[in-house]
Amino acid sequence: RQLFIVDGKPQGSPSSLTVKYAQGERPSEALQVIGVRTSAVPGSLSFSTSYHFGQDSVGRLILCSHTFAEDSFETTENCSIVVEKGASVEVVLMQNEHNRAAHFLNMDVVVGESGSFKATFISLNGGHIENRINVKLEREGAYCELNGLYLADGTQNVRNIIRMEHLVPGCHSKQLFKGILDNNANSRFSGLIK
């Protein structure tokens, strides 16, 4: 199943995107959310998305960001993800924008008791990409795994800033980020585990 966010607006809706998985819900297919920027809204844009996974639900998300024009875009995306008790979530996030685009992702994740959140960030292109990922492991048995791969060339910049908070004993997390840089491209990784 696919949903589109065009210039910050979910297709067919004037408000922000909210997706809720009911208790025990286990869709057989991943949900793909494709966000695109067009020349209709040049310059800066901010929008929000929210995903809530009920108790014991299982969900897979593919989140993509693209630009359909060579305009100078600046996009700020605020994404909230809640993983309730026993829920399991896998996310693949793919960023593929042109060299004049800047994309700032602020992702806040809360994982409950025995919940699992796994995310892979793939940054293929973009003038400036900055991913700020804040994870709170709130209950015993909560688990988070973050992986990242970035490819950058020219003068592209890629930033990954991670804050992982283990709020109680008995929760676990893993992180692995790797990249390939060419020419004058640069990357920065900053992480805090509490």
Side-chain angles (χ1 to χ4, degrees):
R1 165 176 110 141
Q2 289 183 332
L3 297 174
F4 289 88
I5 300 175
V6 179
D7 295 323
K9 302 277 188 215
Q11 268 188 323
S13 173
S15 63
S16 61
L17 177 67
T18 301
V19 175
K20 293 185 178 182
Y21 285 66
Q23 180 176 340
E25 185 175 354
R26 297 170 179 251
S28 60
E29 295 182 352
L31 171 62
Q32 184 177 21
V33 179
I34 302 168
V36 297
R37 291 292 308 266
T38 70
S39 58
V41 181
S44 299
L45 172 72
S46 179
F47 69 96
S48 298
T49 57
S50 175
Y51 304 90
H52 190 110
F53 296 87
Q55 182 175 333
D56 297 320
S57 64
V58 175
R60 291 177 294 140
L61 299 175
I62 302 169
L63 308 177
C64 305
S65 64
H66 301 284
T67 48
F68 282 179
E70 293 291 325
D71 294 336
S72 180
F73 293 124
E74 182 178 300
T75 305
T76 300
E77 179 180 358
N78 300 300
C79 178
S80 169
I81 298 176
V82 175
V83 181
E84 287 191 12
K85 179 180 178 179
S88 177
V89 179
E90 292 184 13
V91 176
V92 174
L93 189 135
M94 183 176 294
Q95 298 163 314
N96 187 17
E97 303 190 22
H98 66 73
N99 287 340
R100 295 180 64 210
H103 194 105
F104 300 90
L105 170 66
N106 301 307
M107 180 179 281
D108 292 309
V109 181
V110 176
V111 184
E113 181 182 344
S114 299
S116 173
F117 178 77
K118 297 178 183 179
T120 301
F121 299 85
I122 303 171
S123 304
L124 298 176
N125 201 11
H128 182 87
I129 293 175
E130 185 170 300
N131 299 315
R132 290 184 177 271
I133 315 302
N134 300 301
V135 180
K136 292 183 178 179
L137 303 174
E138 286 196 328
R139 299 283 185 260
E140 188 175 350
Y143 176 76
C144 178
E145 181 177 324
L146 302 177
N147 298 297
L149 172 66
Y150 52 88
L151 307 172
D153 66 2
T155 59
Q156 295 172 345
N157 298 297
V158 179
R159 306 282 183 267
N160 289 292
I161 301 144
I162 313 295
R163 182 181 177 95
M164 183 76 61
E165 294 185 68
H166 295 242
L167 299 178
V168 297
C171 47
H172 304 279
S173 64
K174 293 197 308 192
Q175 299 176 44
L176 177 64
F177 283 74
K178 294 196 174 205
I180 299 171
L181 302 175
D182 196 10
N183 301 318
N184 294 317
N186 68 69
S187 171
R188 286 192 187 156
F189 178 89
S190 173
L192 173 66
I193 299 175
K194 289 178 73 176

